[in-house]
Amino acid sequence: MKASFLLISLLSAGIAFAAPPAPKTEGIEGKDYKWNAQGGEKSEALTKKGDPKAGEEGYETCAACHLPSGAGRPDGTFPQLAGQHTTVLIKQMADIRAGLRDNPTMYPFAATLTDAQELANVASYIEKLCIPLDHGHYDSKPGDAGKDWKAPADTEKRIAEGKGLYEKECLECHGKNGEGNKEKFYPVIAGQHYKYLLRQMTEIRNGHRRNANPDMVKIIKKYSDDQLISISAYQASLQMPGNMCKPKAAAPAKKK
């Protein structure tokens, strides 16, 4: 890691901890809530032509958590951004900045972006990142696992159950392969970290994701914790569409 990038990340973290709390705008619980209403910073950013070169600088504050690669964390604490639709990235950043989506960890960092143009720039830069070859699965070994850790024995069963549930009600919006829909702001969910998917679906079901799509809330609120585990396991098993990262070439053998 370059020294300058490390310094920027540390300074950004300091700014984040000192920043004021996010504003709180009426969300899904409000009678006048419209999931994807036109106007405001989001709509303005969507009309801008993003500059990925300028966006690289803006992304440096994001990279402290989401990593320079945009891979996020396999333990689900931070989602993978690489491969996500620019419309989704812009909407979520704008919603967090406006106080429509509660994310106290990300808000101070998102607040450092200056305007709609910078939102478009950062989204444009993320769009050009290659998609990491691996991510957190249902049966991924946790980073803090002990030596006696064993992979769950029901992975195949979970994925099969999740596939059935997904194809019944999720496929219409998120696509056969979890590719989402850029024009309709439906996110790519294929290849996202399992634990992140599970946490977000649980929060949407329980009414804690205030910028959730009401249509999705109606579908997901009837699912049990066990069913959400299976759906998340299946979604995480799918391969995210797009430009996959090339495997690193093996280091040349040293001459003896």
Side-chain angles (χ1 to χ4, degrees), residues 10-240:
L10 291 173
L11 288 174
S12 299
I15 292 170
F17 294 135
K24 192 161 185 175
T25 307
E26 187 178 71
I28 196 169
E29 71 278 5
K31 64 178 181 179
D32 297 323
Y33 172 71
K34 293 183 179 179
W35 173 67
N36 202 14
Q38 297 302 304
E41 186 179 54
K42 178 204 71 181
S43 294
E44 183 182 352
L46 290 168
T47 66
K48 305 285 187 182
K49 179 176 176 58
D51 179 351
K53 187 174 181 180
E56 183 175 8
E57 182 177 348
Y59 181 74
E60 286 181 333
T61 59
C62 313
C65 295
H66 294 283
L67 304 186
S69 65
R73 310 278 178 173
D75 64 3
T77 51
F78 302 105
Q80 177 172 304
L81 301 182
Q84 189 55 263
H85 299 308
T86 53
T87 52
V88 173
L89 294 168
I90 288 172
K91 173 173 167 51
Q92 295 307 315
M93 286 191 288
D95 282 357
I96 289 170
R97 283 163 61 86
L100 190 56
R101 175 179 172 182
D102 299 317
N103 193 323
T105 301
M106 183 174 167
Y107 173 74
F109 292 93
T112 66
L113 300 177
T114 56
D115 53 24
Q117 181 63 62
E118 192 161 14
L119 288 183
N121 292 346
V122 170
S124 178
Y125 173 72
I126 294 171
E127 183 180 35
K128 292 187 175 298
L129 295 173
C130 66
I131 299 167
L133 296 173
D134 200 12
H135 58 275
H137 296 268
Y138 171 69
D139 57 355
S140 292
K141 184 177 181 179
D144 58 353
K147 60 181 181 180
D148 296 327
W149 179 85
K150 293 182 180 179
D154 64 345
T155 299
E156 290 187 11
K157 179 175 178 289
R158 284 288 186 190
I159 290 176
E161 288 178 351
K163 184 175 187 292
L165 291 167
Y166 179 86
E167 292 183 346
K168 184 178 180 181
E169 293 189 290
C170 310
L171 182 151
E172 183 177 350
C173 293
H174 290 286
K176 182 178 180 180
N177 298 307
E179 67 273 17
N181 187 311
K182 183 176 183 178
E183 286 69 35
K184 293 184 177 181
F185 296 79
Y186 299 154
V188 177
I189 51 180
Q192 186 56 266
H193 304 304
Y194 158 74
K195 288 186 177 180
Y196 179 77
L197 290 166
L198 178 60
R199 186 171 80 250
Q200 292 306 310
M201 285 200 291
T202 301
E203 290 186 358
I204 290 171
R205 183 197 62 184
N206 296 347
H208 297 154
R209 174 90 177 250
R210 292 189 305 109
N211 75 332
N213 186 333
D215 293 335
M216 182 173 178
V217 176
K218 290 177 184 177
I219 291 173
I220 205 171
K221 67 180 181 180
K222 63 179 175 289
Y223 289 127
S224 67
D225 289 347
D226 193 69
Q227 287 175 314
L228 290 185
I229 288 172
S230 295
I231 296 171
S232 301
Y234 174 67
Q235 292 172 341
S237 75
L238 297 171
Q239 181 173 304
M240 187 177 275

